[in-house]
Amino acid sequence: MHKKLFIPGPVEVREDVLAGMAQPMIGHRTKAASALQKGISDKLRKLMYTENEMILSTSSGSGLMEGAVRSCTGKRAAVFSIGAFGDRWYKMAQANNVPADCFKAELGQATLPEEVDKALQGGMYDVVCITHNETATGVTNPVYDIAEVMKKYPEVVWCLDAVSSLGGAKIEVDKLGVDVCITSTQKCLGLPPGMSIASVSEKAYLNAQKVKFRGLYFDLVELYKFVTERDHQYPSTPSLSHMFALDHQLDRIMEEGPEVRFERHAKMAEMVRSWAGLNFALYSNEKYLSDTVTCITNTREISFAELNKALGERGYMISNGYGALKDKTFRIAHMADTTPKDIRELLTVIDEVLTEM
Ligand SMILES: *Cc1c(COP(=O)(O)O)cnc(C)c1O
């Protein structure tokens, strides 16, 4: 039996989107491939509220995160971590010999604008890496407040990990001044895993050109140049199947309307939060709760494995805690094409299972 996924990626994928992947191949150097990439970019620009160029990478989101920190850092990167995915960005910097410092917040808390300001004041950093939505704790950072600080440092390149929020929460890339905004297909966009997406500002591109060792496969300059100078092409062979499905899914997202989509996510988040408040407790600071994933403290100390097994037998799957929070919390994702009705159904089934435990 297929289990309906309520985990923070991969998510449930609509039948028509799955079918979108099963199209005959086209040559990746053809005009048709260029048109496909360009069409995807135009739609993504609307969803991301930006005029920046879009690059695609045949990798999961981690690919372009690693590419961004490596390609953009000429001096030193300031990584702000509020959990496992922020930590990962710092590890990527270290693994690539990119000078970096990690500023960590307590789990369940957010990156505060004044912390970013304090770190940037000395002029040590030319790149800032921030997680938009920390999937491990269900926290969304106050990026609009952080943006006010970033405006004081126009020479610094801002990289934002929006892997678990883009498509489910409003991120106005140009208004914020985000230089590299990264996501991947298997979360709020509602596609199978396998492709990563980033908007890249001209500033990020020009700065990256001065960086000597950017790697090759995830070199932002190379990816950007193929888009701008080679008519929306891709340096190697991209997953055309993902591109077919992405193009189709972006049409669906535009049909629904981005604002309506974000409201649907907010509504589902509200439902899960009030349920969690009644039955368990919310793990994170209530000022910064995510609209795409909720992290719940296992206050009743139930066996999560048993809960998820019982849910599995009924055709549902939720997620355990991540990293350091593995045994203390569990998570329910409410992203992509999941509906409030699906959430209501899931919560009813969890209630049923809990009475039996
Ligand atoms: C899932 C996730 C990642 C990693 O993305 P992959 O596509 O699995 O490489 C990075 N950051 C956040 C916030 C995530 O939720």
Side-chain angles (χ1 to χ4, degrees):
M1 178 180 44
H2 171 69
K3 293 179 196 166
K4 238 192 209 182
L5 300 180
F6 294 86
I7 62 175
V11 295
E12 236 6 68
V13 180
R14 294 166 51 96
E15 294 272 331
D16 56 300
V17 177
L18 282 177
M21 295 211 35
Q23 288 183 48
M25 286 304 114
I26 57 174
H28 71 296
R29 293 291 174 233
T30 57
K31 285 213 163 62
S34 291
L36 181 62
Q37 206 281 357
K38 183 172 184 307
I40 289 169
S41 300
D42 288 341
K43 292 166 203 172
L44 283 169
R45 272 188 275 272
K46 284 192 190 135
L47 186 62
M48 296 168 82
Y49 302 85
T50 182
E51 295 189 350
N52 289 341
E53 294 297 344
M54 292 293 159
I55 58 172
L56 303 176
S57 165
T58 300
S59 64
S60 70
S62 304
L64 284 182
M65 283 172 68
E66 185 162 351
V69 71
R70 179 171 182 173
S71 303
C72 296
T73 311
K75 236 166 28 179
R76 196 171 187 88
V79 179
F80 292 87
S81 172
I82 59 166
F85 289 102
D87 290 352
R88 185 186 288 187
W89 224 341
Y90 180 59
K91 282 184 201 149
M92 287 167 174
Q94 287 184 308
N96 282 287
N97 205 23
V98 170
D101 294 306
C102 190
F103 300 89
K104 278 166 91 97
E106 243 177 82
L107 290 178
Q109 302 299 329
T111 296
L112 299 178
E114 49 270 32
E115 288 162 5
V116 177
D117 202 9
K118 202 169 129 204
L120 295 185
Q121 267 163 19
M124 255 170 84
Y125 303 103
D126 57 349
V127 166
V128 158
C129 298
I130 293 176
T131 314
H132 179 254
N133 188 73
E134 176 51 72
T135 317
T137 57
V139 166
T140 298
N141 270 319
V143 282
Y144 285 86
D145 297 335
I146 294 170
E148 292 308 310
V149 169
M150 292 303 296
K151 290 194 172 96
K152 287 168 62 182
Y153 306 94
E155 68 292 352
V156 177
V157 169
W158 183 1
C159 301
L160 188 68
D161 167 2
V163 172
S164 64
S165 47
L166 198 117
K170 192 169 187 173
I171 304 174
E172 295 161 293
V173 167
D174 286 355
K175 190 171 168 192
L176 289 165
V178 171
D179 293 293
V180 185
C181 185
I182 303 158
T183 195
S184 58
T185 47
Q186 81 279 13
K187 299 200 183 171
C188 299
L189 292 174
L191 293 128
M195 196 158 241
S196 175
I197 296 160
S199 67
V200 180
S201 71
E202 193 175 26
K203 177 173 113 194
Y205 169 65
L206 294 174
N207 278 23
Q209 281 185 324
K210 296 181 217 142
V211 176
K212 193 167 173 203
F213 295 109
R214 301 184 300 262
L216 196 66
Y217 191 70
F218 296 115
D219 176 7
L220 257 58
V221 172
E222 186 83 348
L223 287 159
Y224 191 97
K225 269 193 179 155
F226 267 76
V227 170
T228 54
E229 294 172 18
R230 308 267 298 264
D231 186 22
H232 298 85
Q233 285 274 313
Y234 185 88
S236 49
T237 319
S239 173
L240 292 156
S241 307
H242 278 87
M243 291 169 71
F244 292 136
L246 179 58
D247 191 43
H248 168 76
Q249 173 68 339
L250 287 167
D251 283 338
R252 294 249 10 312
I253 291 174
M254 289 306 149
E255 262 167 49
E256 181 183 15
E259 298 280 352
V260 174
R261 190 176 176 87
F262 306 147
E263 277 163 31
R264 174 167 56 75
H265 281 78
K267 183 172 176 197
M268 294 191 293
E270 267 311 313
M271 292 169 74
V272 174
R273 281 173 209 156
S274 43
W275 175 86
L278 284 175
N279 292 280
F280 294 90
L282 293 166
Y283 178 77
S284 295
N285 186 334
E286 304 209 358
K287 259 173 84 179
Y288 304 111
L289 295 177
S290 162
D291 278 351
T292 62
V293 57
T294 297
C295 180
I296 301 162
T297 308
N298 184 3
T299 46
R300 287 156 70 162
E301 296 187 10
I302 54 157
S303 157
F304 176 78
E306 257 179 58
L307 169 63
N308 220 11
K309 183 163 173 275
L311 289 175
E313 285 158 5
R314 290 161 171 82
Y316 302 85
M317 183 177 179
I318 60 173
S319 189
N320 60 357
Y322 193 94
L325 300 174
K326 194 168 187 297
D327 297 318
K328 223 176 136 181
T329 65
F330 63 94
R331 295 170 300 157
I332 297 176
H334 25 85
M335 51 174 73
D337 293 317
T338 302
T339 64
K341 182 166 164 284
D342 297 325
I343 294 292
R344 202 169 304 120
E345 191 181 287
L346 171 75
L347 297 176
T348 306
V349 175
I350 299 179
D351 282 337
E352 263 170 43
V353 170
L354 284 175
T355 55
E356 288 163 21
M357 276 179 80

Short mmCIF file of all heavy atoms in Angstrom, two decimals, residues 113-114 116-117 120 142-154 158 175-177:
data_model
loop_
_atom_site.label_atom_id
_atom_site.label_comp_id
_atom_site.label_asym_id
_atom_site.label_seq_id
_atom_site.Cartn_x
_atom_site.Cartn_y
_atom_site.Cartn_z
N PRO A 113 18.20 39.61 13.58
CA PRO A 113 18.88 40.62 12.77
C PRO A 113 20.10 41.23 13.47
O PRO A 113 21.14 41.46 12.84
CB PRO A 113 17.81 41.68 12.52
CG PRO A 113 16.56 41.19 13.11
CD PRO A 113 16.77 39.85 13.70
N GLU A 114 19.98 41.45 14.79
CA GLU A 114 21.10 42.09 15.48
C GLU A 114 22.34 41.19 15.52
O GLU A 114 23.46 41.67 15.53
CB GLU A 114 20.70 42.54 16.90
CG GLU A 114 19.98 41.52 17.76
CD GLU A 114 18.45 41.57 17.62
OE1 GLU A 114 17.96 41.90 16.52
OE2 GLU A 114 17.76 41.26 18.61
N VAL A 116 23.17 39.18 13.06
CA VAL A 116 23.75 39.30 11.72
C VAL A 116 24.53 40.61 11.64
O VAL A 116 25.67 40.66 11.15
CB VAL A 116 22.65 39.25 10.63
CG1 VAL A 116 23.23 39.45 9.25
CG2 VAL A 116 21.87 37.93 10.71
N ASP A 117 23.94 41.67 12.17
CA ASP A 117 24.57 42.98 12.17
C ASP A 117 25.92 42.94 12.90
O ASP A 117 26.94 43.42 12.39
CB ASP A 117 23.63 43.99 12.84
CG ASP A 117 23.92 45.42 12.45
OD1 ASP A 117 24.74 45.63 11.52
OD2 ASP A 117 23.34 46.33 13.05
N LEU A 120 28.60 41.16 10.93
CA LEU A 120 29.04 41.82 9.70
C LEU A 120 29.80 43.12 9.95
O LEU A 120 30.52 43.61 9.07
CB LEU A 120 27.85 42.09 8.77
CG LEU A 120 27.14 40.85 8.21
CD1 LEU A 120 26.07 41.27 7.21
CD2 LEU A 120 28.13 39.89 7.54
N PRO A 142 13.17 35.38 10.56
CA PRO A 142 12.57 36.69 10.22
C PRO A 142 13.38 37.40 9.13
O PRO A 142 14.07 38.38 9.39
CB PRO A 142 12.64 37.44 11.55
CG PRO A 142 13.82 36.85 12.26
CD PRO A 142 13.91 35.41 11.83
N VAL A 143 13.27 36.88 7.91
CA VAL A 143 14.15 37.38 6.84
C VAL A 143 13.87 38.83 6.45
O VAL A 143 14.77 39.51 5.97
CB VAL A 143 14.13 36.48 5.59
CG1 VAL A 143 14.97 35.24 5.80
CG2 VAL A 143 12.72 36.11 5.17
N TYR A 144 12.63 39.30 6.66
CA TYR A 144 12.37 40.70 6.31
C TYR A 144 13.11 41.65 7.26
O TYR A 144 13.60 42.69 6.84
CB TYR A 144 10.86 40.98 6.25
CG TYR A 144 10.27 40.38 4.98
CD1 TYR A 144 9.85 39.05 4.95
CD2 TYR A 144 10.22 41.12 3.81
CE1 TYR A 144 9.36 38.48 3.78
CE2 TYR A 144 9.73 40.57 2.63
CZ TYR A 144 9.31 39.25 2.63
OH TYR A 144 8.84 38.69 1.45
N ASP A 145 13.21 41.26 8.52
CA ASP A 145 13.99 42.06 9.48
C ASP A 145 15.48 41.93 9.19
O ASP A 145 16.24 42.90 9.28
CB ASP A 145 13.69 41.60 10.92
CG ASP A 145 12.23 41.82 11.29
OD1 ASP A 145 11.59 42.71 10.69
OD2 ASP A 145 11.72 41.10 12.17
N ILE A 146 15.89 40.72 8.85
CA ILE A 146 17.30 40.50 8.52
C ILE A 146 17.68 41.31 7.27
O ILE A 146 18.77 41.87 7.17
CB ILE A 146 17.58 38.99 8.33
CG1 ILE A 146 17.41 38.25 9.67
CG2 ILE A 146 18.98 38.76 7.75
CD1 ILE A 146 17.42 36.73 9.58
N ALA A 147 16.72 41.42 6.34
CA ALA A 147 16.97 42.17 5.11
C ALA A 147 17.33 43.63 5.39
O ALA A 147 18.16 44.23 4.69
CB ALA A 147 15.75 42.10 4.20
N GLU A 148 16.72 44.19 6.44
CA GLU A 148 17.03 45.59 6.80
C GLU A 148 18.50 45.73 7.16
O GLU A 148 19.16 46.71 6.81
CB GLU A 148 16.14 46.04 7.96
CG GLU A 148 14.66 46.17 7.60
CD GLU A 148 14.43 47.04 6.37
OE1 GLU A 148 14.98 48.17 6.33
OE2 GLU A 148 13.73 46.60 5.43
N VAL A 149 19.01 44.73 7.87
CA VAL A 149 20.43 44.72 8.24
C VAL A 149 21.30 44.52 7.00
O VAL A 149 22.29 45.22 6.79
CB VAL A 149 20.71 43.60 9.27
CG1 VAL A 149 22.21 43.41 9.46
CG2 VAL A 149 20.03 43.93 10.60
N MET A 150 20.90 43.58 6.16
CA MET A 150 21.70 43.27 4.98
C MET A 150 21.85 44.50 4.07
O MET A 150 22.86 44.64 3.37
CB MET A 150 21.07 42.11 4.19
CG MET A 150 21.11 40.76 4.90
SD MET A 150 22.77 40.21 5.36
CE MET A 150 23.54 40.01 3.76
N LYS A 151 20.86 45.38 4.10
CA LYS A 151 20.92 46.58 3.25
C LYS A 151 22.06 47.50 3.67
O LYS A 151 22.53 48.32 2.88
CB LYS A 151 19.57 47.32 3.28
CG LYS A 151 18.51 46.52 2.55
CD LYS A 151 17.23 47.28 2.23
CE LYS A 151 16.35 46.42 1.34
NZ LYS A 151 15.32 45.66 2.06
N LYS A 152 22.50 47.36 4.92
CA LYS A 152 23.64 48.16 5.38
C LYS A 152 24.97 47.66 4.82
O LYS A 152 26.00 48.32 4.94
CB LYS A 152 23.71 48.10 6.92
CG LYS A 152 22.64 48.92 7.63
CD LYS A 152 22.58 48.60 9.12
CE LYS A 152 23.86 48.93 9.88
NZ LYS A 152 23.73 48.55 11.32
N TYR A 153 24.95 46.44 4.28
CA TYR A 153 26.18 45.82 3.79
C TYR A 153 26.01 45.39 2.33
O TYR A 153 25.97 44.20 2.02
CB TYR A 153 26.55 44.61 4.67
CG TYR A 153 26.64 44.96 6.14
CD1 TYR A 153 25.55 44.78 6.99
CD2 TYR A 153 27.81 45.50 6.66
CE1 TYR A 153 25.62 45.12 8.33
CE2 TYR A 153 27.89 45.85 8.01
CZ TYR A 153 26.79 45.65 8.83
OH TYR A 153 26.86 46.00 10.16
N PRO A 154 25.90 46.36 1.44
CA PRO A 154 25.55 46.02 0.05
C PRO A 154 26.61 45.19 -0.68
O PRO A 154 26.31 44.59 -1.70
CB PRO A 154 25.37 47.40 -0.60
CG PRO A 154 26.11 48.36 0.27
CD PRO A 154 26.04 47.80 1.65
N TRP A 158 24.27 37.54 -0.19
CA TRP A 158 23.35 36.84 0.70
C TRP A 158 22.84 35.56 0.03
O TRP A 158 22.15 35.61 -0.98
CB TRP A 158 22.17 37.76 1.06
CG TRP A 158 21.18 37.16 2.02
CD1 TRP A 158 21.23 35.93 2.60
CD2 TRP A 158 19.98 37.77 2.52
NE1 TRP A 158 20.16 35.74 3.44
CE2 TRP A 158 19.37 36.85 3.41
CE3 TRP A 158 19.38 39.01 2.30
CZ2 TRP A 158 18.18 37.12 4.07
CZ3 TRP A 158 18.19 39.27 2.97
CH2 TRP A 158 17.59 38.34 3.84
N LYS A 175 12.84 42.10 -3.23
CA LYS A 175 12.54 43.02 -2.14
C LYS A 175 13.49 42.77 -0.97
O LYS A 175 13.95 43.70 -0.31
CB LYS A 175 11.08 42.83 -1.72
CG LYS A 175 10.56 43.86 -0.76
CD LYS A 175 9.05 43.71 -0.58
CE LYS A 175 8.58 44.55 0.60
NZ LYS A 175 7.21 44.20 0.98
N LEU A 176 13.77 41.50 -0.70
CA LEU A 176 14.67 41.14 0.39
C LEU A 176 16.12 41.47 0.04
O LEU A 176 16.93 41.75 0.92
CB LEU A 176 14.55 39.65 0.70
CG LEU A 176 13.25 39.19 1.38
CD1 LEU A 176 13.12 37.67 1.29
CD2 LEU A 176 13.23 39.63 2.83
N GLY A 177 16.43 41.39 -1.24
CA GLY A 177 17.82 41.56 -1.65
C GLY A 177 18.64 40.29 -1.52
O GLY A 177 19.85 40.33 -1.33
#
